[in-house]
Amino acid sequence: MGFLTDVVGEAFRYVADFGPELREILALTLVVAALATAIGVVLGVPFGVWLGLSRFRGRGIVMAIVNTGMGIPPVLAGLLLLILLWNDGILGSWEALFTPGAMVAAQALLAFPIAAGVTAGAVRNLNIDAREQLSAFNVSPAGRGWIAGREVWPGVAAAVAAAFGRVIAEVGAVLVVGGNIEGETRVLTTAIVQEARQSNLGAALGLGIVLLAVALIVNLALTWAQMRGEARV
Amino acid sequence: MKLRLAIGLLATVVLVAGCSGSDRILVGAGTTTVDSGLIAAVESRYSGSVSVVGGSTAEILASADQGSFDVAIVHDEEQESAFLADHPDAVRRGLFTSRFLIVGPADLAGQIAAGTPAEALAEIAARGWTFVTRADGSGTHAREMQLWALSGMDPVGEWYVATGQGMGFTLQVTDQRSAFTIVEEGAFLAARDTLTLTAIEFPDDTDLMNPYSAILVNESGRTFFEWLTGLDGRNATLLANDEVFGQVVYRPSQDSEQ
Amino acid sequence: MKRVSDKIALDMSGLQWSAAGRIVVDVAELDVKHGERLVIFGPNGAGKSTLLRLVAGLVGERGGENVAYLPQRPYMFRGSGRRNLLLGLEDSESNRAEVLSKRLGVSNVIGTAASRLSGGERQRLALARTLASSRPVVVLDEPLAAIDAQDRDAVVAVVGDALSERATIVVTHDEDVAAAFADRVAVMVGGQIRQVGSPQEVFLDPQSEEVARVVGHHNVLVGTIVKSDGPLVQVACSGLMVWALGEQAAGSDVRVLFGAETVTLHTVDPSSSDVGKDSARNHWLGIVQEVIETGRLVEVVVDVGQPVAAMITVGSLDGMGITQGDSVALSVKATAARAVTAAKQ
């Protein structure tokens, strides 16, 4: 019991201190996760809308691939990128390995199928009358997609939240392609792993508390936006 | 409001792009030396810009094989030799030496009368005391398996527990079960405050020595490599030891040419 | 003045559609001409909506590009009524949509959130949007289903105006709408077109028992209102004066509708031209043209200047001893007949 209270006390002291190292880690975590989510959403949501609206042979297979992608182990996504980014790899000339850029790319790879899959699900659940009306409109496929995406926007917001939650909480991909370099590529999750490896359980728990707080704030903001949007419409 | 958002986003992109600068030196080093802060304390005394990535010897040499590290700091003779055979241009020098410890509950550890680490393991196995292994392919795990081979015992049975985890978790499990394990001194010192384990003392601990090598992989890392393995680097390592551990755990090699 | 051309705007001949192994639509021969208003009339489940969806290209392979389509249950997307009014329209069409929304009486709700609109308001908005489209073929599925009965004539008039020269296909199961609107009526039963003709032909002269059941033996008289009296109007139909329910102004072109079952037959005493007294306001004399036995009911077609059908039982027929060529009197309560505004010709 004494040990547990010690660790928890240390954790809260660590958070309360909010030292420069923690601030730096938090800032990088937010920037990387936000950019990765943005890229994943910008590519994934339109793809999801298209997938949800279209009827073609093999759509089921594409859907299955996307759903599998939603569950891809982050460390596997990291490894795939690592192999590409190795100096002698296909993208080695970018010299992007162990940079925040590589971390953004790896997490975007994780965010994309989630953004696409959740959006496609929301579009597929569109009322049959809405789908019928939509296909009767005299608009381009892109215009149709825009109307459909707007119609299911609470679902799109859920896709954003799910993608952000996944990337900010994952450690496998950022550790492999980021390398957890102090002051360069260290984020909350990789810092937690490192502190835990060192048996600095208080600091590890403190970082975990910060991570959960960030995830909670982002989700509250999105839920609030959803509810406000629902009330307005 | 929108303008501020746009500026913030732009600054972020510039920051991320800027970090992928090609002039920095990338160093891959053993997990314990990085996690403990030792390597950071060493390179902070170097005038240039160095980025340090932690990993197991196998992981670091795999990325170095693809040219992704300029300098590798690793500790497995066998893997190092294989790497040098594949890369005739690479240069290896002895860097520093740490040692492994066999740790366990004080009351049991005091009963062990063995003269060498291998004999101690044989005794633990014979008495059926619990032994916790990382079983994760790390340098520490490799050394443990070598010692079991020397001991003549087969580590199989209910008393032999595998975590498949890193050192920190493995130490916690060992402590909770009042068991034994093998650990690098640096990692043990970092975690000692949270543990009730003590190290077994041996008259002859040669088999527990843990020599690290520095390998120059890419020519761009030469300046740092020469500094690290030269007199200034050795002094920096001693000062870093004091800063991180309050004692010398990673002892610089006297004659670094190999 | 001739609105309907001979040129075919859309040929539906040979359209077929099956769902779950059942043939839903199987059209042998049907087309709509430029400027023509074709009403598809039939019972629920006849395949009318599916035929329209085929025409609009929502199912099946062909068609759709030239078709403006109003679904049976128009869906309102998130946002204001205005957004829904203008959705999918080009700039040039938007102005027309605004004007039509005013004429259809929903210009006051375009600032309201679509989710707060009533069924009738939604249908009018969607109707305005569909009619504003410049596509040459307009397809409307039950366009008046959610619109109150007293407003239907007005809406029909606006729709007729807005369609102008375009080919139009309307699905309805409302006989008043069909009769008021159609140049031609196609009766659809079990996925097939069973009879095509003018409203008078189809409603007065069904070619089969099945069609007869579907159309309910409707009498349709075309005329012009001469005066109105409270809820009633008096309509001059080719010399025959008819009282019917209606609120249109004098001078309006209307069609008067009443079912054959609402017509009462009287034998006429040859010594007196007095028809006798009852509460009906319409009393006409005529000559029996035809007696058609359909099971236990008999349809008696009487020429009173134009043909009017009466439905009586076999027992009544035997009791009255009516045969072809006899003089008879007809009476129809004014409240059983409705005057509906005819779409502009």
Side-chain angles (χ1 to χ4, degrees):
Chain A
M1 266 321 278
F3 172 67
L4 185 67
T5 47
D6 281 356
V7 168
V8 172
E10 203 186 321
F12 279 102
R13 264 195 307 282
Y14 182 86
V15 176
D17 273 357
F18 204 59
E21 196 185 78
L22 175 56
R23 287 204 299 270
E24 194 178 7
I25 292 173
L26 177 60
L28 183 68
T29 304
L30 291 174
V31 167
V32 167
L35 279 178
T37 306
I39 294 170
V41 163
V42 163
L43 300 176
V45 167
F47 182 71
V49 169
W50 173 77
L51 198 57
L53 282 181
S54 55
R55 297 175 290 187
F56 62 92
R57 212 177 283 276
R59 207 188 71 92
I61 294 170
V62 175
M63 203 65 211
I65 292 172
V66 168
N67 284 333
T68 306
M70 287 170 76
I72 188 177
V75 66
L76 182 59
L79 274 176
L80 290 173
L81 205 62
L82 174 72
I83 291 165
L84 290 177
L85 289 177
W86 264 337
N87 274 15
D88 298 348
I90 297 167
L91 305 177
S93 58
W94 293 6
E95 301 201 353
L97 195 55
F98 306 127
T99 64
M103 296 158 76
V104 169
Q107 293 199 329
L109 216 58
L110 297 173
F112 174 80
I114 293 198
V118 175
T119 303
V123 171
R124 269 169 61 81
N125 282 337
L126 251 182
N127 181 308
I128 177 72
D129 293 339
R131 295 170 71 89
E132 187 123 293
Q133 182 71 71
L134 209 49
S135 26
F137 280 144
N138 179 23
V139 287
S140 65
R144 201 163 289 151
W146 173 255
I147 297 170
R150 216 181 121 165
E151 196 58 15
V152 300
W153 84 262
V156 174
V160 174
F164 184 82
R166 168 129 159 117
V167 300
I168 202 168
E170 76 85 23
V171 60
V174 278
L175 190 58
V176 170
V177 301
N180 191 34
I181 300 173
E182 188 183 354
E184 288 182 34
T185 60
R186 183 161 299 167
V187 289
L188 285 170
T189 51
T190 59
I192 290 172
V193 168
Q194 183 190 351
E195 297 291 359
R197 270 200 308 236
Q198 291 287 292
S199 292
N200 295 333
L201 300 187
L205 194 58
L207 288 159
I209 290 168
V210 174
L211 180 65
L212 287 179
V214 169
L216 183 66
I217 288 167
V218 168
N219 272 296
L220 278 177
L222 276 166
T223 307
W224 176 77
Q226 255 173 336
M227 278 164 48
R228 223 176 64 127
E230 284 297 332
R232 204 173 29 149
V233 167
Chain B
M1 198 58 205
K2 271 190 176 164
L3 184 73
R4 274 173 63 183
L5 192 75
I7 290 173
L9 209 64
L10 194 72
T12 304
V13 171
V14 170
L15 174 91
V16 169
C19 280
S20 65
S22 54
D23 53 343
R24 66 174 180 162
I25 306 298
L26 261 177
V27 175
T31 311
T32 308
T33 64
V34 176
D35 284 0
S36 63
L38 177 79
I39 301 295
V42 173
E43 71 74 21
S44 70
R45 291 171 165 82
Y46 175 66
S47 54
S49 160
V50 174
S51 301
V52 184
V53 176
S56 72
T57 293
E59 285 169 349
I60 291 164
L61 288 180
S63 274
D65 181 54
Q66 299 293 326
S68 295
F69 287 123
D70 302 309
V71 175
I73 297 173
V74 289
H75 59 132
D76 187 86
E77 165 62 28
E78 206 175 310
Q79 292 185 57
E80 289 166 28
S81 299
F83 182 84
L84 290 170
D86 286 346
H87 300 83
D89 293 341
V91 183
R92 171 168 68 165
R93 283 179 198 158
L95 186 60
F96 46 62
T97 299
S98 73
R99 59 179 186 140
F100 288 106
L101 302 173
I102 296 174
V103 296
D107 54 335
L108 300 184
Q111 295 177 38
I112 291 176
T116 69
E119 286 168 21
L121 288 190
E123 212 175 318
I124 290 165
R127 291 173 186 248
W129 289 338
T130 308
F131 189 97
V132 180
T133 176
R134 284 171 66 174
D136 61 351
S138 62
T140 304
H141 180 235
R143 178 60 60 91
E144 183 204 323
M145 296 323 288
Q146 288 165 15
L147 290 174
W148 282 116
L150 280 175
S151 75
M153 300 290 282
D154 215 3
V156 178
E158 283 197 12
W159 58 273
Y160 190 68
V161 176
T163 62
Q165 300 283 327
M167 202 67 247
F169 293 105
T170 303
L171 280 172
Q172 296 298 335
V173 171
T174 306
D175 197 34
Q176 240 162 43
R177 301 198 173 192
S178 299
F180 290 85
T181 194
I182 183 168
V183 57
E184 242 193 301
E185 189 174 6
F188 185 61
L189 288 176
R192 198 161 55 176
D193 291 351
T194 66
L195 303 171
T196 58
L197 301 168
T198 56
I200 305 171
E201 294 294 336
F202 299 102
D204 173 11
D205 60 357
T206 316
D207 289 342
L208 292 176
M209 284 300 137
N210 182 28
Y212 278 80
S213 300
I215 298 176
L216 176 63
V217 182
N218 293 330
E219 199 51 37
S220 53
R222 180 170 288 280
T223 316
F224 175 69
F225 180 76
E226 295 293 351
W227 175 85
L228 181 67
T229 56
L231 195 62
D232 290 344
R234 277 182 272 166
N235 276 332
T237 303
L238 283 173
L239 290 171
N241 264 287
D242 195 45
E243 182 185 323
V244 173
F245 302 107
Q247 66 187 82
V248 178
V249 175
Y250 293 84
R251 188 169 299 282
S253 304
Q254 290 308 309
D255 178 13
S256 56
E257 297 294 338
Q258 278 189 15
Chain C
M1 271 305 282
K2 194 180 176 205
R3 175 163 55 78
V4 182
S5 83
D6 296 332
K7 272 176 61 186
I8 292 172
L10 188 81
D11 192 357
M12 289 166 272
S13 302
L15 269 185
Q16 281 189 330
W17 187 252
S18 303
R22 199 173 66 91
I23 294 173
V24 183
V25 170
D26 183 11
V27 173
E29 200 184 341
L30 186 66
D31 59 40
V32 60
K33 313 274 194 315
H34 284 289
E36 185 182 38
R37 285 150 205 190
L38 174 69
V39 165
I40 313 281
F41 187 83
N44 287 332
K48 308 184 296 281
S49 289
T50 306
L51 174 60
L52 288 203
R53 295 170 77 238
L54 276 167
V55 167
L58 300 181
V59 291
E61 300 294 325
R62 71 183 201 186
E65 313 81 47
N66 296 325
V67 176
Y69 169 64
L70 176 71
Q72 193 169 11
R73 295 179 302 271
Y75 182 84
M76 290 287 119
F77 290 85
R78 286 175 196 282
S80 65
R82 176 186 295 279
R83 175 175 187 242
N84 277 280
L85 175 67
L86 303 180
L87 216 47
L89 295 183
E90 286 159 19
D91 287 349
S92 56
E93 298 168 332
S94 298
N95 290 335
R96 246 151 65 84
E98 303 257 11
V99 171
L100 278 165
S101 74
K102 195 168 288 173
R103 291 196 56 196
L104 287 167
V106 280
S107 57
N108 56 324
V109 299
I110 56 180
T112 310
S115 56
R116 300 216 181 96
L117 298 178
S118 72
E121 287 163 341
R122 288 165 182 231
Q123 190 141 32
R124 285 166 203 242
L125 272 182
L127 193 54
R129 175 177 65 204
T130 311
L131 294 172
S133 159
S134 46
R135 294 182 169 193
V137 178
V138 179
V139 169
L140 310 173
D141 195 351
E142 298 281 8
L144 304 178
I147 289 168
D148 291 342
Q150 71 263 23
D151 297 338
R152 288 190 180 182
D153 287 350
V155 172
V156 165
V158 173
V159 172
D161 260 8
L163 288 170
S164 64
E165 305 291 304
R166 285 183 288 178
T168 308
I169 306 172
V170 176
V171 154
T172 183
H173 64 259
D174 184 317
E175 296 156 24
D176 296 359
V177 173
F181 193 77
D183 295 312
R184 274 196 304 158
V185 176
V187 178
M188 192 168 187
V189 180
Q192 296 178 335
I193 303 297
R194 296 296 165 83
Q195 189 175 341
V196 184
S198 69
Q200 287 92 336
E201 283 169 352
V202 169
F203 288 127
L204 268 190
D205 192 14
Q207 298 295 300
S208 64
E209 223 181 304
E210 199 166 27
V211 174
R213 262 203 299 277
V214 171
V215 300
H217 295 273
H218 236 298
N219 288 300
V220 184
L221 304 175
V222 179
T224 306
I225 293 179
V226 289
K227 70 178 180 195
S228 91
D229 175 14
L232 301 181
V233 288
Q234 190 177 31
V235 186
C237 306
S238 312
L240 189 71
M241 296 305 272
V242 184
W243 284 97
L245 281 172
E247 289 172 342
Q248 296 91 336
S252 306
D253 288 332
V254 294
R255 289 174 187 181
V256 178
L257 312 176
F258 52 96
E261 73 286 351
T262 68
V263 179
T264 311
L265 271 182
H266 311 267
T267 49
V268 182
D269 180 356
S271 63
S272 160
S273 61
D274 187 11
V275 175
K277 287 279 181 272
D278 61 26
S279 64
R281 288 185 79 154
N282 296 307
H283 300 281
W284 309 310
L285 287 166
I287 293 161
V288 175
Q289 231 174 11
E290 204 177 350
V291 177
I292 309 157
E293 301 206 13
T294 57
R296 277 181 291 175
L297 289 177
V298 182
E299 186 185 344
V300 181
V301 181
V302 181
D303 183 359
V304 293
Q306 41 187 301
V308 168
M311 190 64 86
I312 59 175
T313 59
V314 176
S316 301
L317 182 75
D318 291 347
M320 295 167 77
I322 295 169
T323 54
Q324 198 176 333
D326 287 356
S327 288
V328 290
L330 307 182
S331 63
V332 177
K333 289 169 73 175
T335 50
R338 275 156 300 163
V340 299
T341 305
K344 278 191 188 148
Q345 298 295 310

